[in-house]
Amino acid sequence: MPESSPETHVIDFRAAEQLLAARDPRGAIQLLDSVITAHPENTAARLLRARAFFLAAQLRPAELEFQIVLEREPDNAFAHFALGRTLERADRSEEALRHFRLAAALEPRPEFIEAARFARETGNGEHAPGDPDSETE
């Protein structure tokens, strides 16, 4: 195995972005694992890995990664929205609603507002428009 360097970690991160865009979340996770091992403080890599976990339907690891991102960046509207989607998908709609509301309050993007409104109105964790895997930071 080639030696890891900061340059290879950047290459791995960019390749993981491409794999996620190509709907290969497991491949993205594999690349990001080494990046995060070498740079555990890298919030962008953690956010990308959280999105990959979500897309791979690995909800608990996705939730944990989104929570780490939010511990470091409590005002990250996208991370709140994505954590809300993760909790919603895990049938935890009341917890999800809190994060949808925070996302909408921090950044009133239409999809964030719609998610907060939809979750509040239905209260049943049904899927509303906009997934973390189709959003950008």
Side-chain angles (χ1 to χ4, degrees):
M1 177 180 253
E3 201 172 307
S4 291
S5 70
E7 293 81 15
T8 60
H9 295 144
V10 170
I11 292 167
D12 286 347
F13 179 85
R14 295 297 178 209
E17 287 180 318
Q18 294 301 312
L19 287 171
L20 195 59
R23 299 289 189 186
D24 181 3
R26 287 174 180 77
I29 291 165
Q30 287 179 337
L31 289 174
L32 291 166
D33 285 345
S34 65
V35 174
I36 291 171
T37 297
H39 305 280
E41 74 290 348
N42 188 317
T43 304
R46 288 193 176 275
L47 186 58
L48 189 62
R49 187 165 72 168
R51 291 176 53 215
F53 280 135
F54 179 87
L55 190 58
Q58 296 179 29
L59 300 181
R60 185 64 181 146
E63 177 184 352
L64 294 173
E65 286 293 339
F66 285 128
Q67 287 173 341
I68 289 170
V69 170
L70 287 169
E71 285 173 10
R72 296 173 183 177
E73 298 179 2
D75 61 345
N76 186 320
F78 176 78
H80 279 291
F81 173 74
L83 178 55
R85 283 282 179 247
T86 303
L87 294 168
E88 178 181 60
R89 199 165 168 190
D91 291 326
R92 295 163 55 193
S93 58
E94 284 190 33
E95 293 172 76
L97 178 57
R98 175 181 177 267
H99 291 283
F100 289 146
R101 286 178 175 165
L102 284 167
L106 289 166
E107 190 175 326
R109 290 169 49 177
E111 62 270 26
F112 296 174
I113 294 168
E114 180 64 24
R117 183 177 298 126
F118 185 83
R120 183 181 64 241
E121 289 172 359
T122 64
N124 63 6
E126 286 183 22
H127 182 71
D131 276 331
D133 56 71
S134 65
E135 299 296 321
T136 58
E137 288 181 55

